[in-house]
Amino acid sequence: MDTINENGQSVSVTIANDGNNGSKQRKKQLYSSIKKYSWIFPLYSSISIVLMSVVPYITSTYYGYTDPIFPLVSDSAGYPPGASIFALLFIIEAIFATFTSWFRYKQVKYYLQSQSKDDQNVNFSKKLRSINWNLVTIMIFFTFGVIIFTTFRSTESIIMALIHSFGAALAVMCLALYLLGTIYSCWYLYKVYNIESLPISLIVSSSIQLIAITTFTLTFFASWYVSGFNFFDPYFRSKWPDNETRTLFLVTSISETISLLLVSTVNLCLFNRMRKFKDWDKIRF
């Protein structure tokens, strides 16, 4: 901008443009808020797990697709409109769970970097760093498994049911590994570095969940064995004619429901640990 000084001469004056600085400041604040409120990811995942267990069950039993007495979650979520709701909630939940594992990875990494690197703990620190990163990789595979078994429904055909089972097996295996790795890292963070607290709630809920997963796996194959390929007929599963083997199938469906609902408890444990962390601004992503 040109101005006239007291001697009548034209002087060019440049006024700094704060637009870019303001934009950068807003982006920085948004970035800081995302890190500060990263606990929203496990909290949403926890709520989503409950909804995806209840809503498809209500819709499938209301329309008469499945028996109201403990159907498989896959059967409840195999018919519209519950199927679409289940798929949407579970895929978003899996993605949010992967984000949770990434934020948790950064949090644990910060803990380890903040500790003095003495000779006594340096080897252990390297091991924990490796486990910490592998947990993120495991959750990425978990997401792929969820996408597979929510896309291919067990109620459509035998081929679809087999693909669905493969995706579910991948997701369950990754979930079990993630639980064990998370318990290990939380336990030794407290024991070695006195960081956070003992993961008692996480250990109890994860132990029950692993028992439920094991029970589901064994009884699933046992139910398949006693019923043959009729097991892949959704109508047969819903109306299961044999009362003796139906008890075995009920154990399968109940243990599946328990293992799914307990994922919510695990997410709440991570939510609590991430919410209490006050140094998110010191972590770079």
Side-chain angles (χ1 to χ4, degrees):
M1 180 179 70
D2 293 335
T3 61
I4 306 297
N5 64 11
E6 60 183 4
N7 295 325
Q9 295 176 330
S10 177
V11 179
S12 179
V13 179
T14 303
I15 300 177
N17 184 6
D18 292 333
N20 291 335
N21 291 333
S23 177
K24 289 181 180 179
Q25 186 65 24
R26 287 191 295 271
K27 289 180 180 179
K28 185 176 180 181
Q29 291 175 350
L30 176 61
Y31 180 60
S32 177
S33 296
I34 292 174
K35 292 192 294 183
K36 183 179 179 180
Y37 296 103
S38 59
W39 49 262
I40 290 176
F41 290 100
L43 180 61
Y44 167 83
S45 296
S46 181
I47 297 171
S48 180
I49 287 291
V50 177
L51 290 176
M52 75 177 65
S53 302
V54 174
V55 175
Y57 169 78
I58 292 174
T59 58
S60 64
T61 54
Y62 175 79
Y63 289 107
Y65 293 128
T66 58
D67 190 271
I69 303 177
F70 281 106
L72 286 173
V73 176
S74 300
D75 288 342
S76 297
Y79 303 96
S84 299
I85 297 172
F86 178 83
L88 178 63
L89 289 174
F90 214 157
I91 289 174
I92 296 177
E93 189 279 334
I95 294 172
F96 273 38
T98 303
F99 277 120
T100 298
S101 69
W102 173 253
F103 280 107
R104 183 63 182 167
Y105 159 75
K106 286 291 185 177
Q107 185 182 0
V108 173
K109 183 179 179 181
Y110 173 81
Y111 285 146
L112 296 175
Q113 289 176 340
S114 64
Q115 301 303 309
S116 57
K117 297 180 180 179
D118 53 52
D119 294 334
Q120 183 179 358
N121 293 329
V122 65
N123 291 331
F124 175 78
S125 179
K126 289 180 179 179
K127 181 180 180 180
L128 204 56
R129 287 169 191 260
S130 177
I131 292 174
N132 193 33
W133 171 247
N134 287 333
L135 290 177
V136 179
T137 305
I138 288 170
M139 288 308 293
I140 292 174
F141 281 101
F142 169 78
T143 302
F144 283 130
V146 169
I147 292 173
I148 291 172
F149 82 74
T150 54
T151 303
F152 298 91
R153 301 172 187 171
S154 62
T155 55
E156 295 181 352
S157 67
I158 292 180
I159 298 299
M160 291 293 187
L162 290 173
I163 298 174
H164 172 91
S165 299
F166 169 77
L170 176 61
V172 168
M173 180 180 65
C174 290
L175 178 62
L177 291 175
Y178 185 80
L179 290 175
L180 293 173
T182 300
I183 290 172
Y184 181 91
S185 62
C186 290
W187 179 271
Y188 282 101
L189 277 175
Y190 178 80
K191 284 295 185 180
V192 178
Y193 301 110
N194 198 28
I195 294 175
E196 296 184 338
S197 60
L198 277 174
I200 302 300
S201 299
L202 186 62
I203 291 173
V204 172
S205 60
S206 297
S207 298
I208 297 173
Q209 186 173 25
L210 290 173
I211 292 172
I213 289 173
T214 303
T215 303
F216 166 73
T217 302
L218 294 176
T219 55
F220 177 88
F221 285 108
S223 298
W224 181 3
Y225 175 78
V226 298
S227 60
F229 274 94
N230 287 328
F231 184 77
F232 292 100
D233 182 357
Y235 181 81
F236 177 87
R237 292 195 301 269
S238 177
K239 306 300 180 182
W240 203 280
D242 187 0
N243 290 329
E244 293 182 2
T245 56
R246 178 170 174 75
T247 302
L248 181 65
F249 178 71
L250 284 176
V251 174
T252 304
S253 58
I254 292 172
S255 59
E256 181 192 35
T257 303
I258 291 173
S259 62
L260 181 61
L261 288 174
L262 283 174
V263 177
S264 179
T265 306
V266 173
N267 280 317
L268 286 177
C269 293
L270 295 177
F271 151 75
N272 190 46
R273 291 173 181 271
M274 292 169 65
R275 182 179 59 86
K276 291 181 177 180
F277 184 63
K278 304 301 182 183
D279 294 326
W280 286 113
D281 287 337
K282 298 179 182 179
I283 298 178
R284 297 185 61 185
F285 289 90

